[in-house]
Amino acid sequence: MSEFSDLTIYFNGDFIPWDEGRIHCFTPAVKYGAAVFEGIRGYWNDEQEKMYLFRLQEHMVRMEISQRISRFGEVIPAQQMCDATIELIRRNNFTGSVHIRPTVYVDGIGESSARGPLGCFITAIQRGTAKSVETGVRAQVSSWQRIADNMMPARAKANSNYGNARLAAVQAKQDGYDAAIFLNSRGKVSEGQAMCLFIVRDGKVVTPTITSDILESITRDTVITLLHDQGYEVQEREMDRSEFFLASEAFFCGSGAEIVPLINVDGEMIGKGEPGPVTREIQTIYFDVAMGRVEDTRGWLTEV
Ligand code: PMP
């Protein structure tokens, strides 16, 4: 029993009670972390009394990519997972914003080279916006290095990759920071733990490239698109750690994290040490789009 016991989950084709979602201890998913997942937001629009799932299709397509990179023997298709998600949201009758977590995992009794059989499940829980979106966070450049593409490809949203993020997150908390920033094996800035990042330098917005050992973040893509709409120049390029000292502002982004101002790195203030104007502008536009308060010109929203 837990606070989520009243919820319904999707589990291998069925809709079942939360407490019945079980995986065997001998599966490769448990033994080796052989699984891939997504984190998706659904925004409840109070005025319209509707739920909008943000970029559902793109997340499920990325989960197909994660399955291929992880060499699963087959791929559970995006459409199946989208349809199941929509039905799951309907069945739970949420009246608040949600966080949705679909997973595809290697089931059965295999060893580490097993490529199947596959199982899948989807959970959805009510979750609002964290206070840090308003206040901003203080981060540490981690002494843990980001996993490299020829070790554990960060481009796949594979559960096993999160051992790396976890070590950095635990260290940052132990050292009194809110979040960690990874450098990659080439010593360049990569991303936060479960968040991509941007800085503003001389009025231009800079973010590490998709070959900087980042997850190809959907929120990063959203932010770049929205910044272009506003007329900003966005540079996707290699980024040095020392550039944090030259930035006038910085922010993290991710589906779960949303847009989080980064106000201090390694004890040094970024800009004035408070959320900056570009960060505030992009936050406002992001939430207007994601919550269905403005017209959805790009087909990013799925109404439930
Ligand atoms: N990097 C990592 C490692 C992540 O786990 C996430 C969260 N999915 C992100 C970046 C942000 O990605 P997205 O915007 O697609 O949620």
Side-chain angles (χ1 to χ4, degrees):
M1 293 290 282
S2 75
E3 61 179 300
F4 302 129
S5 288
D6 290 341
L7 296 175
T8 294
I9 62 177
Y10 172 82
F11 196 82
N12 290 323
D14 297 318
F15 292 91
I16 63 170
W18 178 279
D19 289 329
E20 290 172 22
R22 292 197 184 90
I23 289 176
H24 199 277
C25 58
F26 204 70
T27 54
V30 174
K31 287 187 296 190
Y32 307 112
V36 301
F37 73 109
E38 277 299 323
I40 306 167
R41 283 254 185 195
Y43 289 100
W44 178 251
N45 185 312
D46 244 339
E47 274 170 25
Q48 303 174 18
E49 301 206 331
K50 276 182 194 152
M51 184 80 83
Y52 290 109
L53 309 184
F54 191 58
R55 304 196 71 175
L56 173 66
Q57 184 75 23
E58 289 91 331
H59 278 282
M60 294 310 191
V61 166
R62 184 171 67 188
M63 198 156 68
E64 283 187 354
I65 292 166
S66 296
Q67 292 173 72
R68 295 208 327 259
I69 295 173
S70 302
R71 310 287 295 271
F72 289 4
E74 54 186 318
V75 168
I76 297 188
Q79 197 55 53
Q80 180 185 327
M81 297 303 279
C82 286
D83 294 345
T85 302
I86 292 166
E87 182 58 23
L88 179 71
I89 298 301
R90 283 209 188 99
R91 287 185 184 228
N92 277 295
N93 294 315
F94 292 113
T95 52
S97 293
V98 294
H99 188 258
I100 303 159
R101 185 182 278 258
T103 298
V104 176
Y105 63 96
V106 180
D107 207 346
I109 56 170
E111 288 307 320
S112 56
S113 61
R115 303 178 69 182
L118 300 185
C120 65
F121 61 86
I122 309 168
T123 59
I125 58 170
Q126 217 153 300
R127 179 164 148 192
T129 289
K131 217 172 57 208
S132 54
V133 168
E134 202 42 52
T135 59
V137 292
R138 298 168 59 258
Q140 167 188 61
V141 174
S142 188
S143 54
W144 295 99
Q145 202 171 73
R146 187 65 181 140
I147 45 176
D149 193 63
N150 60 355
M151 300 176 187
M152 311 263 297
R155 185 170 283 107
K157 196 166 167 66
N159 296 55
S160 48
N161 286 353
Y162 286 77
N164 182 230
R166 188 174 171 279
L167 287 173
V170 169
Q171 187 67 56
K173 288 269 151 67
Q174 287 289 89
D175 292 349
Y177 295 88
D178 306 311
I181 295 167
F182 276 115
L183 305 182
N184 62 25
S185 56
R186 300 182 295 280
K188 299 296 179 183
V189 176
S190 178
E191 59 178 359
Q193 96 270 356
M195 302 180 285
C196 280
L197 68 82
F198 289 78
I199 61 166
V200 181
R201 236 193 109 175
D202 303 323
K204 300 183 188 84
V205 188
V206 179
T207 192
T209 63
I210 57 168
T211 50
S212 298
D213 301 302
I214 66 169
L215 179 72
E216 294 189 20
S217 150
I218 291 160
T219 320
R220 174 183 178 279
D221 176 75
T222 304
V223 167
I224 291 172
T225 303
L226 298 177
L227 284 168
H228 282 153
D229 285 354
Q230 297 309 109
Y232 285 101
E233 184 184 326
V234 183
Q235 298 180 339
E236 293 179 61
R237 61 161 175 80
E238 281 197 334
M239 195 187 134
D240 284 327
R241 170 184 193 162
S242 56
E243 291 186 90
F244 284 116
F245 300 120
L246 309 180
S248 56
E249 53 186 295
F251 59 90
F252 287 118
C253 76
S255 304
E258 302 173 312
I259 316 273
V260 181
L262 171 55
I263 57 174
N264 186 302
V265 173
D266 289 339
E268 292 294 332
M269 286 196 304
I270 298 215
K272 297 195 178 107
E274 57 189 43
V278 179
T279 308
R280 287 300 191 212
E281 185 181 354
I282 204 69
Q283 281 183 325
T284 303
I285 300 167
Y286 182 82
F287 285 117
D288 279 349
V289 170
M291 292 181 171
R293 291 197 287 244
V294 295
E295 199 196 340
D296 174 28
T297 55
R298 294 188 168 90
W300 282 347
L301 305 185
T302 301
E303 185 184 314
V304 182

